[in-house]
Amino acid sequence: MSSPCSAMAYHHDSRRIFVGQDNGAIMEFHISEDFNKMNFVKTYPAHQNRVSAITFCLTSEWVISTGHDKCISWMCTRSGSMLGRHYFTSWASCLQYDHETRHAFVGDYSGQITLLKLEQNTCSVITTLKGHEGSITSLWWDPVQRLLFSGASDHSIIMWDIGGRKGRTLLLQGHHDKVQAICYIQLTRQLVSCSADGGIAVWNMDISREEAPQWLESDSCQKCEQPFFWNIKQMWDTKTLGLRQHHCRKCGQAVCGKCSTKRSSYPIMGFEFQVRVCDSCFESIKDEDRTSLATFHEGKHNISHMSMDISRGLMVTCGSDRIVKIWDMTPVVGCSLATGFSSR
């Protein structure tokens, strides 16, 4: 290769490999039927900087990619010519594509996800999804249930319901480091996520979860009505010092520290760790409400990328520590439900 490789897409049926590079080019290769030879096909001048993600659509003969030149591009694989580009305000970090509707999901370093409708030579912005407090590191699109999952450097995962219940989001917090890779197993309704510190989580998504509330704004505690430190007028009137503002993760109310002395996990809302809740919400949470809805495993190496072979229940992880591991996931991904799993 003429430049270090930064991204890759492999199309199994046609045995075509597309390799993105640090210089912005994408090189296409065709693998022989016996997998003993790889023939160079062509080079696509897709970007002006590092390629971050690639996908190939056989029906339209498009290679779609994102890069650190802050754009998404789509090129014709027959002619090798550029069809269209769209620019963002930040580096585009990851990409998912719906082949049937030609919708592209692009995550960027500002923490936004942009939904685009790609046409032959143009595109239109459908919406922008905002919910993460850190850069988007991974995306997964499930075209069956029309669900989009996003992982970010803020250690969290968000499920966006793009289909029937538009705007509905579920927050999942169970990692101690940035989420590097995610994979949704539609067959068993489970989400597998991996983080940079080696944490592997398997989330049960086959239950009715609660959406985390929006944080409410107030100039005083919504429990005891004591003023917050910026509420100068009420502090002067009541001759009291202002308090620091916090938020209850269960009800979303703005509360002071004295009214939110407790911590609790609340897995049905995605909080697998203990988070701040107001005292009244703490009393309403039963012991069975704290039962975990995910299983956690230690990968014991830095995980940068992950790929699942769902048909065999196998997972491959690799990282910057130069280690590649192959995992048998059948004991934890509901193999009793997954009739598609076959023995190796």
Side-chain angles (χ1 to χ4, degrees), residues 2-20:
S2 58
S3 180
C5 305
S6 56
M8 187 183 75
Y10 173 61
H11 190 262
H12 176 77
D13 294 338
S14 62
R15 299 193 307 279
R16 295 160 80 173
I17 280 187
F18 299 86
V19 183

Side-chain angles (χ1 to χ4, degrees), residues 20-33:
Q21 302 173 81
D22 273 359
N23 62 7
I26 296 175
M27 298 182 72
E28 179 186 351
F29 299 89
H30 183 262
I31 297 179
S32 63
E33 196 169 348

Side-chain angles (χ1 to χ4, degrees), residues 26 45 89 97 100 117-118 132 134 149 166 176 186 197 209 233 259 271 273 288 290 320 339 343:
I26 296 175
T89 56
Y97 183 67
E100 183 179 348
K117 169 74 171 180
L118 303 187
H132 285 289
F149 297 89
K166 293 181 180 178
H176 296 284
Q186 205 277 331
D197 62 355
R209 289 179 176 267
K233 183 181 184 304
C259 295
F271 300 117
F273 300 148
E288 55 265 31
R290 297 184 176 93
S320 58
T339 56
S343 58

